[in-house]
Amino acid sequence: MDSKEASKAVDALKPAASSSDQSISTPQEMDNQEASEAIEALSLKASSSEPSSVLASQMTLEEKFKIVRSIGEECIQEDELMNLLEKKPFPVCYDGFEPSGRMHIAQGVLKALNVNKLTSAGCKVKIWIADWFAQLNNKMGGDLKKIEVVGQYFIEIWKAVGMNLEGDQVEFLWSSKEINSRAHEYWPLVMDIARRNKLPRILRCCQIMGRSTQDELTAAQIFYPCMQCADIFFLKADICQLGMDQRKVNVLAREYCDDIKRKNKPIILSHHMLPGLQEGQEKMSKSDPSSSIYMEDEEAEVNLKIKKAFCPPKVVENNPCLEYIKYIVLPWFNEFKIERSADNGGDRTYQTFEELAADYESGSLHPADLKPALSKAINKILQPVRDHFKNDQKAKDLVKRVKSFKVTR
């Protein structure tokens, strides 16, 4: 990609003006490596009229790989990913969600960021609205009508937050409808996976449902991993782009490829799991409202949750506030602004997490300054979602119904 094409790609991947007022140097002012880093960092909804597939065709293989690989905390395997991107212009990525209650920012914002990175690199993304899986896992009390309402609410949020839905690169698929329409393909696949695996191997996958091996599982929950493994092949996915908590079933899919002598295995690209806001919470919990920020939370609610969040001074590791900055704020705005009086060190803008972490660990950046800045940034991200759920009657009705539902496990 020459400097003119790189400039065009960077401009097209910039967030809309309403999302951030930050500026960025053009590739003419950077060397090639810096231009590549800029392309990787910019991941919000395209402001260009050109589709992402056109922009992807202007990127080098290395640039595509860098963007796609940046999403995953772990990649199995990197050489397979490089080979896929070289040979297939529009690889298929899949992620699935149980419609199980209100959406927190990991599902909303982080997923939008990741999807927009994938589409910018030419990938097609299939988002599996796993309504039958939610029913199997007793979400919404197993009431499929309620589960469908939550699924519709999910889609409204992704639209509002800025997921790039232009063209046909992102597809929302309801598991019940897709499985029913191609049952003759799906169920033999599920049965074959079940037949080839012993019960202890399937039980090791129960983490994908938010369960542990110590839980008393229903027969439906034992069947669930076989179905999720089948989804990967049913959807013809090249890349499994799910959270680290889904890793075990994705590995099961690769093992199944060995069993059936299939050469092309699905590549696993597992993204980081954001922790809950309270001390010791490895992930957000929908059953504990204080542990997470919901996508339609009001400004005052966000401020209060961040104010009460675990954020020990000078401690970077396992600090949820710093993780929100690293995985949400910096990728969204490409910067993090601290506003404080001159007596307290004056204003400071961080371009990288490493800079911020160093200041925080040294004590030159205090939680009392960091938390208000974090609240301000998150509220800015969430405002378009709030506006959508206030001004769009369909969205308003959906969120009202979702909030009335009891969250069940």
Side-chain angles (χ1 to χ4, degrees), residues 132-334:
W132 269 5
F133 292 78
Q135 187 177 37
L136 283 170
N137 205 15
N138 197 41
K139 299 302 173 65
M140 299 291 108
D143 186 327
L144 196 57
K145 289 183 179 179
K146 290 181 178 178
I147 291 167
E148 287 174 355
V149 169
V150 178
Q152 291 166 3
Y153 150 85
F154 274 25
I155 294 171
E156 288 297 314
I157 285 182
W158 284 318
K159 287 179 182 176
V161 77
M163 185 180 285
N164 188 359
L165 303 178
E166 299 296 326
D168 61 353
Q169 282 185 265
V170 179
E171 193 175 10
F172 296 108
L173 300 169
W174 294 80
S175 68
S176 58
K177 294 180 177 65
E178 296 300 315
I179 292 170
N180 277 334
S181 68
R182 291 161 53 204
H184 63 288
E185 296 177 40
Y186 188 78
W187 293 115
L189 184 56
V190 174
M191 291 166 64
D192 193 48
I193 290 166
R195 186 177 63 82
R196 290 174 183 271
N197 285 279
K198 304 297 183 185
L199 187 57
R201 178 65 184 90
I202 298 301
L203 289 174
R204 290 205 303 273
C205 292
C206 65
Q207 179 189 9
I208 67 173
M209 301 173 285
R211 311 287 172 177
S212 78
T213 53
Q214 307 305 314
D215 291 345
E216 187 175 353
L217 302 177
T218 65
Q221 289 164 335
I222 294 172
F223 203 47
Y224 186 122
C226 299
M227 290 175 63
Q228 185 168 327
C229 182
D231 293 344
I232 297 164
F233 305 100
F234 183 68
L235 295 171
K236 297 178 171 56
D238 300 303
I239 299 172
C240 301
Q241 204 295 281
L242 297 93
M244 286 294 293
D245 61 338
Q246 304 297 302
R247 181 185 186 278
K248 289 182 179 179
V249 76
N250 293 330
V251 171
L252 179 67
R254 288 178 63 90
E255 292 172 356
Y256 177 66
C257 289
D258 291 332
D259 288 342
I260 63 173
K261 311 301 182 191
R262 171 174 163 153
K263 184 179 178 182
N264 294 325
K265 300 178 182 180
I267 294 158
I268 304 172
L269 195 63
S270 304
H271 63 252
H272 180 74
M273 300 295 293
L274 278 181
L277 290 170
Q278 305 305 312
E279 183 176 6
Q281 293 180 328
E282 291 185 1
K283 58 184 287 189
M284 297 182 195
S285 169
K286 291 182 180 178
S287 59
D288 179 6
S290 68
S291 78
S292 58
I293 292 169
Y294 297 116
M295 289 297 294
E296 75 288 342
D297 271 351
E298 294 295 340
E299 183 175 347
E301 292 176 297
V302 172
N303 293 343
L304 183 61
K305 287 180 179 181
I306 295 296
K307 185 178 180 180
K308 291 183 175 181
F310 180 64
C311 190
K314 299 184 179 183
V315 177
V316 173
E317 192 173 352
N318 299 322
N319 186 323
C321 290
L322 267 64
E323 292 226 4
Y324 278 38
I325 296 167
K326 181 178 181 179
Y327 291 100
I328 298 287
V329 177
L330 281 170
W332 192 276
F333 295 115
N334 300 316

Side-chain angles (χ1 to χ4, degrees), residues 6-136:
S7 177
K8 194 175 185 181
V10 170
D11 287 342
L13 287 172
K14 283 181 181 177
S18 60
S19 296
S20 174
D21 57 2
Q22 80 277 9
S23 61
I24 183 165
S25 301
T26 63
Q28 287 87 345
E29 299 167 328
M30 309 175 184
D31 60 24
N32 288 338
Q33 182 178 354
E34 289 174 324
S36 179
E37 289 171 354
I39 291 168
E40 176 188 332
L42 294 169
S43 50
L44 295 188
K45 189 171 181 179
S47 59
S48 168
S49 59
E50 284 194 273
S52 298
S53 57
V54 174
L55 300 171
S57 69
Q58 299 168 348
M59 293 181 186
T60 66
L61 173 61
E62 289 73 21
E63 286 166 339
K64 286 183 182 180
F65 176 82
K66 191 171 184 181
I67 290 172
V68 175
R69 179 62 185 88
S70 71
I71 291 168
E73 185 169 290
E74 177 186 61
C75 178
I76 306 175
Q77 298 283 348
E78 288 189 348
D79 60 330
E80 294 175 20
L81 177 60
M82 180 68 84
N83 185 56
L84 172 70
L85 295 173
E86 182 179 19
K87 294 183 176 179
K88 191 169 183 178
F90 308 111
V92 175
C93 304
Y94 127 87
D95 193 0
F97 288 95
E98 284 185 0
S100 57
R102 294 174 67 192
M103 184 184 282
H104 52 59
I105 63 171
Q107 285 181 313
V109 179
L110 192 57
K111 179 45 55 182
L113 286 164
N114 288 345
V115 166
N116 290 356
K117 282 188 177 185
L118 290 168
T119 57
S120 76
C123 298
K124 292 183 177 293
V125 180
K126 294 183 178 182
I127 297 181
W128 193 234
I129 309 296
D131 50 351
W132 269 5
F133 292 78
Q135 187 177 37
L136 283 170

